[in-house]
Amino acid sequence: MYAQMIKSESSNDDPQALAEFQARIDRGERIEPKEWMPEGYRKTLIRQIGQHAHSEIVGQLPEGNWITRAPTLERKQILLAKVQDEAGHGLYLYSACETLGVTRDELFEKLHSGAMKYSSIFNYPTLTWADMGAIGWLVDGAAIMNQVPLQRTSYGPYARAMVRICKEESFHQRQGYSIMMKMAQGTPAQKEMAQDALNRFWYPSLMMFGPSDAESVHSTQNMAWKIKINTNDELRQRFVNETVPQAEYLGLTVPDEHLRWNDDKQGYDFSEPDWDEFFEVLKGNGPCNEERLGARRKAWDDGQWFREGLSAYADKQATRRTAAE
Amino acid sequence: MSKKEWPLWEIFIRGQHGLNHRHVGSLHAPDAEMAINNARDVYTRRKEGVSIWVVPSSAITASSPSEKGPLFDPAEDKVYRHPTFYDIPDEVGHM
Ligand SMILES: [Fe+2]
Ligand SMILES: [Fe+2]
């Protein structure tokens, strides 16, 4: 997902306190910043919310690639507004993460050094305009699957950030699908571009949910803490069930010869993505890892003089105010 | 003896677990701790909250009413930020 394979940290806390904490979560109470929480819960959340925030920010890059080349002024405005929303999502999440006792600069530093990850999906290139359609439809669609249940997560600031984000995601998915509709109903060449985008983004989108974690101890702990609500397989299945009819409506073919409706489970059977590829991308060997991280580092370094300028101006204003008093 | 007026505090209450704190009003108090005590008596007599924030009113910087146009009007013609702007057929399910 936007946060993939979150390892849960163990806690050496007092068993009595841990039991009371778990009871609060089981009652559906929200944990708020200044309240006691196990060290493992705090650290795991920093990793998860931080990775989620990084994904929103890095996720602007593949789409930003097409802003200047959008086919119409209207599409340009829409894409710009969408990418702007993603910047906002990153900021809501960084702020939520900071309530756990980590600073913004520390989080950036960990992204830039590679110590923290962002979602594997953003390491794939956006080759044609149809990719803007496929991303909104599939990538934002997959993100929605995961983010809707997270509105009920146990950590208050994270849950409230999710509520804000979910309100904005529907626009993202619909603008993407509307691009796909236009392309699929267009000339044969345009329809082929739409099919090609689906072919390239289908399996990377399935990877977003992460490998099966039904047996994972991390997943069990994170689910007990309610910072993970569904298993990866559950969400992936839901995503496939919703997306296949949407592809059919477009007249496009999902690139999976084993895709079949299974009446018994009331869902589709489908092929797993190539998990070796997934782990390679996580390790930094995807098609665009270097480019993405390079762009983030450059933006940070190039902005240094500007951030310093704003701080200097604020200091000067403050001195003036005290002098006037 | 010099008479010192107590500062004004803005009061925010979290109504229930999980919700945002919301501004409910203000009151005077000599310090933050007293402001919380007073806020409890003034604003939560009927168990309206599970948490209180107090902020010195002087610490709040507000946008000025005359800036309302420049700040908020530009959002008016950006209807494409709303999901309803896109015609998506019902057959494809909720999106
Ligand atoms: Fe987002
Ligand atoms: Fe989005």
Side-chain angles (χ1 to χ4, degrees), chain A residues 17-28 36 38 221 223-226:
Chain A
L18 279 176
E20 275 165 27
F21 180 79
Q22 190 58 50
R24 289 193 60 196
I25 290 185
D26 295 342
R27 283 197 299 271
W36 184 85
Q221 174 62 76
M223 284 175 98
W225 278 335
K226 284 195 195 150

Side-chain angles (χ1 to χ4, degrees), chain A residues 27-203:
Chain A
R27 283 197 299 271
E29 280 180 31
R30 292 290 155 78
I31 311 304
E32 297 295 343
K34 285 185 176 170
E35 295 166 352
W36 184 85
M37 61 185 81
E39 202 39 30
Y41 177 84
R42 196 181 66 82
K43 283 195 187 145
T44 309
L45 267 178
I46 289 177
R47 186 176 294 154
Q48 176 169 338
I49 304 174
Q51 194 182 113
H52 197 154
H54 295 326
S55 298
E56 302 283 353
I57 296 299
V58 177
Q60 295 177 95
L61 297 169
E63 289 180 294
N65 181 33
W66 280 91
I67 291 173
T68 56
R69 293 177 288 163
T72 66
L73 185 56
E74 187 182 62
R75 287 292 180 192
K76 191 203 285 268
Q77 286 181 299
I78 292 170
L79 186 58
L80 197 56
K82 198 250 182 203
V83 171
Q84 203 180 23
D85 274 358
E86 304 301 1
H89 295 177
L91 301 185
Y92 307 155
L93 287 162
Y94 281 130
S95 298
C97 199
E98 284 167 60
T99 62
L100 292 157
V102 60
T103 70
R104 182 78 56 106
D105 283 12
E106 279 164 11
L107 288 167
F108 282 160
E109 203 279 312
K110 285 191 168 146
L111 170 67
H112 297 154
S113 72
M116 283 180 90
K117 303 278 181 218
Y118 55 89
S119 176
S120 56
I121 189 73
F122 302 119
N123 291 311
Y124 290 86
T126 45
L127 304 177
T128 74
W129 172 251
D131 291 7
M132 298 303 97
I135 287 183
W137 170 37
L138 301 173
V139 176
D140 289 81
I144 291 169
M145 281 295 155
N146 175 259
Q147 288 172 340
V148 166
L150 279 177
Q151 293 177 107
R152 293 178 283 115
T153 190
S154 61
Y155 190 55
Y158 191 26
R160 291 189 289 274
M162 278 302 127
V163 171
R164 285 194 85 93
I165 288 174
C166 285
K167 268 192 200 142
E168 300 177 351
E169 287 291 355
S170 172
F171 144 52
H172 296 181
Q173 197 186 14
R174 290 169 73 98
Q175 66 82 36
Y177 195 73
S178 98
I179 293 175
M180 292 308 273
M181 278 168 56
K182 257 276 177 328
M183 304 281 294
Q185 290 156 9
T187 64
Q190 286 170 325
K191 186 168 179 183
E192 210 181 294
M193 276 169 75
Q195 180 64 55
D196 173 61
L198 172 58
N199 291 350
R200 283 181 291 110
F201 278 94
W202 176 255
Y203 287 106

Side-chain angles (χ1 to χ4, degrees), chain A residues 236-255:
Chain A
R236 190 171 13 250
Q237 181 71 56
R238 253 187 236 174
F239 173 75
V240 172
N241 292 352
E242 280 193 19
T243 310
V244 170
Q246 293 164 354
E248 280 166 2
Y249 179 87
L250 294 170
L252 300 179
T253 312
V254 172

Side-chain angles (χ1 to χ4, degrees), chain A residues 146-309:
Chain A
N146 175 259
Q147 288 172 340
V148 166
L150 279 177
Q151 293 177 107
R152 293 178 283 115
T153 190
S154 61
Y155 190 55
Y158 191 26
R160 291 189 289 274
M162 278 302 127
V163 171
R164 285 194 85 93
I165 288 174
C166 285
K167 268 192 200 142
E168 300 177 351
E169 287 291 355
S170 172
F171 144 52
H172 296 181
Q173 197 186 14
R174 290 169 73 98
Q175 66 82 36
Y177 195 73
S178 98
I179 293 175
M180 292 308 273
M181 278 168 56
K182 257 276 177 328
M183 304 281 294
Q185 290 156 9
T187 64
Q190 286 170 325
K191 186 168 179 183
E192 210 181 294
M193 276 169 75
Q195 180 64 55
D196 173 61
L198 172 58
N199 291 350
R200 283 181 291 110
F201 278 94
W202 176 255
Y203 287 106
S205 300
L206 296 187
M207 289 177 201
M208 285 176 70
F209 299 96
S212 180
D213 60 356
E215 327 261 88
S216 150
V217 279
H218 297 295
S219 178
T220 311
Q221 174 62 76
N222 293 347
M223 284 175 98
W225 278 335
K226 284 195 195 150
I227 57 182
K228 181 179 175 71
I229 313 287
N230 306 92
T231 67
N232 295 347
D233 289 325
E234 268 165 22
L235 292 173
R236 190 171 13 250
Q237 181 71 56
R238 253 187 236 174
F239 173 75
V240 172
N241 292 352
E242 280 193 19
T243 310
V244 170
Q246 293 164 354
E248 280 166 2
Y249 179 87
L250 294 170
L252 300 179
T253 312
V254 172
D256 179 359
E257 53 181 20
H258 301 295
L259 186 76
R260 288 227 182 6
W261 177 256
N262 179 336
D263 228 14
D264 295 335
K265 72 172 185 188
Q266 285 296 298
Y268 290 91
D269 292 329
F270 57 93
S271 303
E272 290 279 312
D274 177 351
W275 291 113
D276 292 338
E277 176 183 319
F278 171 78
F279 286 112
E280 278 305 304
V281 174
L282 277 200
K283 263 193 258 163
N285 303 324
C288 298
N289 294 60
E290 250 173 70
E291 189 185 329
R292 302 292 185 236
L293 216 46
R296 282 314 311 158
R297 289 196 195 113
K298 184 173 185 308
W300 180 249
D301 293 341
D302 289 356
Q304 180 72 25
W305 69 272
F306 189 66
R307 292 192 300 276
E308 280 168 10

